[in-house]
Amino acid sequence: MAKVTPTIPQGTRDFGADEVRKRNFILDTIKTEFELYGFQPLETPAMENLDTLLGKYGEEGDRLIFKILNNGLDNSEKEKEARQGFEKVLKGKNDKAITERALKYDLTIPFARYVAMHHTRLNFPFKRYQVQPVWRADRPQRSRYREFYQCDADVVGSDSLFNEIEFAIIYSKVFYKLGIPGITIKVNHRALLSALAETCGDLKYFTPITVAIDKLEKAGIEKVVAELESKGLNKEQIKIIREYLDIQGTNKNKIKRLEELLGKNENGRRGIADLKFVLSQQDLLLDLTLARGLNYYTGTIFEVTPPADLKIGSIGGGGRYDDLTGLFGVPDIPGVGISFGVDRIYDVMEEMKLFPAAVHIGTQALFFNLGETESRQAFQLMEELRDMGIRCEMYPDTVKFDKQFKYAEKKNIPYVIIIGSKELEEKNCTIKDLRTGKQESVSFDMLSAYTFK
Amino acid sequence: MAKVTPTIPQGTRDFGADEVRKRNFILDTIKTEFELYGFQPLETPAMENLDTLLGKYGEEGDRLIFKILNNGLDNSEKEKEARQGFEKVLKGKNDKAITERALKYDLTIPFARYVAMHHTRLNFPFKRYQVQPVWRADRPQRSRYREFYQCDADVVGSDSLFNEIEFAIIYSKVFYKLGIPGITIKVNHRALLSALAETCGDLKYFTPITVAIDKLEKAGIEKVVAELESKGLNKEQIKIIREYLDIQGTNKNKIKRLEELLGKNENGRRGIADLKFVLSQQDLLLDLTLARGLNYYTGTIFEVTPPADLKIGSIGGGGRYDDLTGLFGVPDIPGVGISFGVDRIYDVMEEMKLFPAAVHIGTQALFFNLGETESRQAFQLMEELRDMGIRCEMYPDTVKFDKQFKYAEKKNIPYVIIIGSKELEEKNCTIKDLRTGKQESVSFDMLSAYTFK
């Protein structure tokens, strides 16, 4: 029977050795930094109850959740329920007879669910980081996948602005350690947008103003103005918003202008005071056009961008929120968090060729297989090398030199070690560095002291 | 609106910091060992095409696969197809109009799919390890979960028995490094079971013999005999099998008896020769009652058991197979692989209290927050400690001593560091070891040289 070559689902990826190592270089750098700042790991299941996820991501988000089909639908006793449930599914609704579970769509809602479940036991302020895949039934396109890693850290149960400062430091240190130059860490405050709405006459303008400003970078000021007009804002109001958006200069100048424009408003004063505190400690760019769209942020907001010429969007973002777990019946847990855009960071590092050479090396030395007696000697020497932490392997079969060389080359193994009958007799092995072609003889006794670069 | 406290799906688990660190201690130990032996990481998506998985795990397995409901079933143009598809689902079948994708059920089939997809490009012998969660819609019970990690390594494209020896060494080194005493690595060979079937008169007895022997440990010899009788084996045949099962003594004695019993059979000779080679290199227990049930193994088989008094079943297993990818239309790729039972290893280590103390420590030092000026000083000192790799944090809010102490205790932070106005003036901080109660004064300059144990 002819079989068809198998494929994988659209929008998903296999990660080979080189990709796993490169991705782990990024993830390990981030995790290590989170831990240096007192964040502890949390892992939640891939599946959540569908109820936990539904209604948290807007109508469009709900549609992009991957739902798990219930097992055992062939149970004839439950056929009626299943049929009724399926009718609802056909109408775009969900029904527990058909699906009760779904794959997680982000890390925030599972985190909120975890905190709500365990809030009586948790040690607040609770600092956790979480690095796990999430799934979205999005239309696959360049750099957008249906399965991708998210990488978040949050502190909940603390109002202190020191948390904001710490996150700004973490951003700057992680990108420094990854070796990515030209990073900009932008900061703004959602209370300024509230103040702006109130200065325009009504807090109800908060959402249209935020949504419009969020499009500024991509769409330009004319389209933002048009959108504001379409939402019913008049010329006078739009003038105020343009004045706000036109604020330029150093952070200090911007703060000064903000004080003139929004300093009489309570929200304005709060936003300005918070920003002054945060900016006092860290080299951040106050970007008043930063809005972070339709989400739950209520305080300081962050966004990180790579060098503009790469044309890769933001590689990190976050902010403060008032109420993480209210949706799950546990009110008054404020917090602040950031996330790293792992796929885009990977793309930036690829594009700028920033991955260190060591990341591409798995096995450091290949022992050639020249027969059983030679192999047994190799086995013994390999154990000595492994005790020194050297990753090595022997070609398992006795095949031609050429084939063994090719194997080493294809696997990007820098050293080959040859033990033939002559070497066996002289208790020496021949080490060849495939990168330079340099060859030397090293006695068996000294091999474990050899420096494999 | 009153909200219900959320839950997680049955059979799934949240992993808090301590659990993540303990599990990572196990996983990192295994991964490091795999890499020391030349294995490279592979990660495949959580989802596979349903076609890839169906029919690979038997009828019962198919039923336990978590299937993903297709998105967009409310598309009225496709309503007819969806209804027809759902009728099939109600009859226990699958239909692409309802579900095309599923969560992976193990790591072997996705690995086989990967090798089949990429076999023309891969560098054979291909050595990969894979550590990822898998999902099974099993009835949840003690130590059986619906989401759990598997941890596999395989070499494919090599017949060499050095691979078997290497896996035996890896088993022994990993359990040594984890600190688990009293491990037994059992080995046997499936060709001996073929030889036994042939000695009973027909290779067709291979499956009933294998299935029956597999139950020996749990059910006892009488039940095994009864099962063999029920499968149509007569007294004479059962006598041969009992003779085989009764073989005792040292590995050497067992080999000698095997040679007498099965040495005239070709399969018998192959099994004995392979076992002699493998046993010559490594301290293994030849266990002739090891069968490894209904699976694809064709050569050497392994099973690892912890000390018997723990009453925890096998914590590892594997073996050689002839044909990994035949199911996907790519024949003649033999291989050998092993896996570690991560959840059970975790249970063994918990039960025997084997996790090292360091695993329970996340943050190493907590700086108390005694006001803004003090905090800014703490921030500076923390950066110096972090540069030395010390994980530290400051309590973000200025609250009572007592509350900050409790936070440190609950988070199992061994050291607290106090900088009050007096310390600030004297440029000293007070370090207290919460485990011993010991307290000392260290100057700001010397803090980064302090040894945090």
Side-chain angles (χ1 to χ4, degrees), chain B residues 7-31:
Chain B
T7 59
I8 51 173
Q10 233 197 335
T12 68
R13 294 165 287 175
D14 287 319
F15 290 88
D18 206 55
E19 290 153 311
V20 171
R21 282 194 298 259
K22 284 189 279 189
R23 196 171 55 179
N24 283 348
F25 176 75
I26 297 171
L27 297 180
D28 292 345
T29 302
I30 299 172
K31 286 183 198 175

Side-chain angles (χ1 to χ4, degrees), chain A residues 87 90, chain B residues 73 75-84:
Chain A
E87 289 305 317
L90 288 176
Chain B
L73 286 174
N75 179 344
S76 57
E77 280 173 35
K78 293 188 178 166
E79 189 174 331
K80 200 178 151 198
E81 280 173 56
R83 283 183 191 283
Q84 284 171 351

Side-chain angles (χ1 to χ4, degrees), chain A residues 168-233:
Chain A
I169 300 176
I170 290 174
Y171 265 143
S172 118
K173 289 187 95 175
V174 164
F175 289 114
Y176 173 77
K177 287 184 181 174
L178 290 174
I180 305 181
I183 290 292
T184 307
I185 307 171
K186 299 175 182 175
V187 64
N188 197 12
H189 201 291
R190 299 270 280 200
L192 297 185
L193 301 176
S194 302
L196 200 57
E198 285 168 342
T199 308
C200 287
D202 198 323
L203 195 54
K204 78 174 181 194
Y205 296 125
F206 174 79
T207 299
I209 289 175
T210 304
V211 171
I213 291 182
D214 203 39
K215 294 175 184 161
L216 182 61
E217 198 180 334
K218 275 191 187 151
I221 185 70
E222 296 314 321
K223 291 225 169 118
V224 169
V225 168
E227 173 157 343
L228 289 169
E229 280 170 351
S230 79
K231 296 290 173 187
L233 281 94

Side-chain angles (χ1 to χ4, degrees), chain A residues 14-15 21 23 37-38 40 43 67 69 83 87 113 160 173 281 376 383 386 396 411, chain B residues 14-15 21 23 37-38 40 43 67 69 83 87 113 158 160 173 281 376 383 386 396 411:
Chain A
D14 287 319
F15 289 88
R21 282 194 298 258
R23 196 170 57 180
Y37 285 80
Q40 306 299 316
E43 289 182 23
K67 288 135 201 144
L69 189 64
R83 282 182 191 282
E87 289 305 317
R113 187 270 305 150
S160 167
K173 289 187 95 175
Q281 286 267 355
R376 288 184 189 268
E383 283 307 308
R386 287 169 185 141
K411 203 167 172 173
Chain B
D14 287 319
F15 290 88
R21 282 194 298 259
R23 196 171 55 179
Y37 285 79
Q40 305 299 316
E43 290 182 23
K67 288 136 200 141
L69 189 64
R83 283 183 191 283
E87 290 305 317
R113 186 270 306 150
S158 166
S160 167
K173 290 188 94 176
Q281 287 269 352
R376 288 183 190 269
E383 283 307 308
R386 288 169 184 143
K411 203 165 172 174

Side-chain angles (χ1 to χ4, degrees), chain A residues 359-378:
Chain A
V359 161
H360 302 290
I361 294 172
T363 300
Q364 296 164 279
L366 176 74
F367 283 73
F368 275 18
N369 182 328
L370 303 177
E372 201 186 314
T373 322
E374 292 84 350
S375 296
R376 288 184 189 268
Q377 178 63 58

Side-chain angles (χ1 to χ4, degrees), chain B residues 162-403:
Chain B
F162 277 118
N163 297 308
E164 271 87 334
I165 288 178
E166 204 148 66
F167 279 124
I169 300 176
I170 289 174
Y171 266 142
S172 118
K173 290 188 94 176
V174 163
F175 290 113
Y176 174 77
K177 288 184 181 174
L178 290 175
I180 306 180
I183 290 293
T184 307
I185 307 171
K186 300 175 181 174
V187 64
N188 196 10
H189 201 292
R190 299 270 278 201
L192 297 185
L193 302 176
S194 301
L196 199 56
E198 285 168 343
T199 308
C200 288
D202 198 323
L203 194 54
K204 77 175 180 193
Y205 295 126
F206 174 78
T207 300
I209 290 175
T210 304
V211 171
I213 291 183
D214 203 39
K215 295 176 185 161
L216 180 62
E217 199 180 335
K218 276 191 187 151
I221 186 70
E222 297 315 319
K223 290 227 169 114
V224 169
V225 167
E227 175 158 341
L228 290 169
E229 280 170 351
S230 79
K231 296 290 173 187
L233 281 95
N234 63 32
K235 284 204 172 137
E236 194 53 41
Q237 292 166 323
I238 290 173
K239 188 168 161 271
I240 298 171
I241 296 165
R242 290 196 69 152
E243 256 185 276
Y244 167 87
L245 292 175
D246 282 342
I247 295 178
Q248 298 292 339
T250 61
N251 289 346
K252 218 170 184 175
N253 284 340
K254 285 176 186 164
I255 292 281
K256 199 170 151 246
R257 279 290 294 128
L258 279 176
E259 280 169 338
E260 292 160 15
L261 193 67
L262 303 172
K264 285 187 196 94
N265 177 288
E266 202 186 312
N267 272 314
R269 281 196 302 272
R270 176 167 72 93
I272 292 165
D274 285 3
L275 285 171
K276 277 179 161 173
F277 189 89
V278 173
L279 292 167
S280 71
Q281 287 269 352
Q282 185 60 24
D283 196 20
L284 304 167
L285 176 71
L286 175 56
D287 179 351
L288 298 173
T289 71
L290 182 63
R292 297 211 45 84
L294 269 183
N295 53 37
Y296 47 91
Y297 296 121
T298 52
T300 317
I301 48 179
F302 295 107
E303 200 165 282
V304 184
T305 52
D309 56 313
L310 289 181
K311 294 192 170 57
I312 292 175
S314 79
I315 52 178
R320 174 169 286 282
Y321 41 85
D322 274 341
D323 179 16
L324 177 72
T325 51
L327 282 165
F328 296 112
V330 180
D332 302 326
I333 300 190
V336 52
I338 59 170
S339 73
F340 286 87
V342 179
D343 283 309
R344 284 188 178 168
I345 293 171
Y346 187 105
D347 290 347
V348 169
M349 294 191 63
E350 275 288 59
E351 191 119 339
M352 299 179 83
K353 299 195 199 318
L354 297 175
F355 286 109
V359 161
H360 302 292
I361 295 172
T363 300
Q364 295 164 279
L366 176 73
F367 282 74
F368 275 19
N369 182 328
L370 303 177
E372 200 185 316
T373 322
E374 293 84 348
S375 295
R376 288 183 190 269
Q377 178 62 60
F379 252 62
Q380 201 178 311
L381 292 169
M382 283 197 293
E383 283 307 308
E384 291 173 21
L385 288 185
R386 288 169 184 143
D387 284 346
M388 305 299 292
I390 305 298
R391 300 182 300 274
C392 55
E393 60 182 292
M394 182 183 77
Y395 195 93
D397 305 276
T398 311
V399 296
K400 286 186 184 154
F401 250 58
D402 189 45
K403 203 169 171 184

